[in-house]
Amino acid sequence: MKKISIVIPIYNEEETIPFLQNRIINTISKIKNYQFNVLLINDGSKDRSLEIIQNCRKIDKRFEYISLSRNYGKEIAMLAGLDYAKDSDAVIIMDADLQDPPELIEKLIQEWEKGYDDIYAKRISREGETWLKKTTSKIYYQILEKISKIPIQKDTGDFRLLDKRCVIAICQMREQSRCSKSLFNWIGYHKKEILFERDKRIAGKTKWNYSKLIQLAIDGITSLSTAPLKWISYMSVAFICFSILYAVILGLFSLTGKIISGINLLFLGILFLSSIQMIFISILGEYLGRVFQETKYRPTYLIDQINGNKHTNQAKENKDEQEKNHTSDFNNYHYFTN
Ligand code: UDP
Ligand code: MG
């Protein structure tokens, strides 16, 4: 029997988890011939989520959980789930708030059985999201697609089924600042789109706010592309040309005998150029910051417990042993082989 894992990142979802468990049990009990397990990743929740997750396991042993040592963000929580589920034949990623309907799982599996590797669900409607969020995310993904030159699926989140080989490919990408949307595209393989209506959150509140979104946007652009660094070079050439032109104009003015009124113009020039410089430096800083983060070779996350057992995140020097191990020890693979 093929094994399918459903990976669900969870952060402060005490209200939604009971609904989630019911809907999932209902759905998977109707799908025969597959062995399911549901992997709940507690991403350092501060409410009663962990307690409720533990209860889910008491009710149904197919529910497993990993509790991370703190809140790492959804991207890293998903990676922890994928690391743990590497042995499954396929992994389905979905949100805890039932915005991604579990009833679609059957359709995802049907397409997988046809031979597709990455079956992603595209929303035809987005209930309960503000106009501003929809518009800004649309513009952002258009820009990201243009500058990274990797096609990004429109109106698509992380809700998808990944074949084992996609999961293994994604687990090999250990960057700390992750943009899964672009990683899913980067790996390639055979993709298939299915359409669905995205529901409202069943309960609780969205964890997103604009500062998180801006951070995700910066991560997305700087982890995917060095285009902003090129813009700096283009723009500096443009500025040099502009200053030469400006100097020529000033020269011509002085030839006609007019006096150039100085101090205000000078001040404006300095202000303008120094603000441009500051933008350039901050772009450079973004990349430098990333290099700094990645060269620390830190594990991407630490696990506090797995199914109630305390976990020690210890690096293993033996590569075979690391590969057998599902969890964050995988991180150290690169470290010890470098
Ligand atoms: N989430 C997480 N860690 C975080 C924030 C969110 O694991 O730091 C989970 C959250 O519990 C949910 C999913 O990511 O299962 C999507 O979050 P949310 O519904 O708040 O985002 P939205 O659907 O509004 O984009
Ligand atoms: Mg949501």
Side-chain angles (χ1 to χ4, degrees), residues 8-13 41 43 71-74 77 94-97 99 129 133 198 201 205-208 212:
I8 306 174
I10 290 176
Y11 178 60
N12 295 349
E13 299 281 4
I41 315 296
D43 184 19
N71 176 249
Y72 287 88
K74 184 189 176 189
M94 56 188 287
D95 286 357
D97 55 5
Q99 284 196 288
E129 285 182 30
K133 184 174 175 189
R198 186 157 160 100
R201 228 175 200 281
K205 281 201 204 100
T206 174
K207 311 295 170 302
W208 289 112
K212 272 195 181 174

Side-chain angles (χ1 to χ4, degrees), residues 173-191:
M173 299 192 246
R174 307 306 302 183
E175 50 256 58
Q176 309 262 349
S177 45
R178 305 176 71 80
C179 173
S180 294
K181 231 179 179 167
S182 47
L183 299 184
F184 294 140
N185 284 293
W186 188 90
I187 58 168
Y189 293 122
H190 303 289
K191 299 200 184 298

Side-chain angles (χ1 to χ4, degrees), residues 114-210:
K114 286 183 195 163
Y116 293 105
D117 299 296
D118 174 5
I119 305 101
Y120 58 90
K122 178 176 171 166
R123 7 178 214 242
I124 38 181
S125 68
R126 294 169 81 161
E127 285 283 323
E129 285 182 30
T130 62
W131 172 88
L132 192 64
K133 184 174 175 189
K134 284 190 249 188
T135 319
T136 45
S137 93
K138 191 172 161 199
I139 295 170
Y140 164 64
Y141 284 112
Q142 275 171 358
I143 297 173
L144 190 60
E145 190 165 43
K146 275 242 160 60
I147 67 169
S148 71
K149 301 202 170 60
I150 296 174
I152 304 268
Q153 296 130 1
K154 308 276 164 348
D155 290 321
T156 308
D158 302 311
F159 183 28
R160 60 185 63 224
L161 182 148
L162 296 168
D163 182 76
K164 184 178 182 145
R165 58 181 180 159
C166 299
V167 175
I168 290 179
I170 287 173
C171 290
Q172 284 175 59
M173 299 192 246
R174 307 306 302 183
E175 50 256 58
Q176 309 262 349
S177 45
R178 305 176 71 80
C179 173
S180 294
K181 231 179 179 167
S182 47
L183 299 184
F184 294 140
N185 284 293
W186 188 90
I187 58 168
Y189 293 122
H190 303 289
K191 299 200 184 298
K192 171 79 184 172
E193 171 180 295
I194 61 168
L195 300 174
F196 80 113
E197 309 236 348
R198 186 157 160 100
D199 296 331
K200 277 195 191 125
R201 228 175 200 281
I202 190 101
K205 281 201 204 100
T206 174
K207 311 295 170 302
W208 289 112
N209 52 42
Y210 275 93

Side-chain angles (χ1 to χ4, degrees), residues 247-302:
V248 171
I249 292 171
L250 284 185
L252 289 177
F253 256 110
S254 58
L255 281 183
T256 59
K258 285 182 187 152
I259 300 160
I260 312 147
S261 76
I263 200 84
N264 288 345
L265 203 61
L266 190 70
F267 183 65
L268 191 71
I270 292 173
L271 200 68
F272 178 66
L273 284 177
S274 54
S275 55
I276 294 292
Q277 258 178 352
M278 272 160 81
I279 295 172
F280 288 175
I281 292 169
S282 64
I283 295 180
L284 284 174
E286 281 295 329
Y287 284 97
L288 197 65
R290 265 165 196 64
V291 172
F292 173 66
Q293 288 297 342
E294 303 298 339
T295 50
K296 284 187 203 164
Y297 292 110
R298 284 201 184 164
T300 327
Y301 55 85
L302 296 177

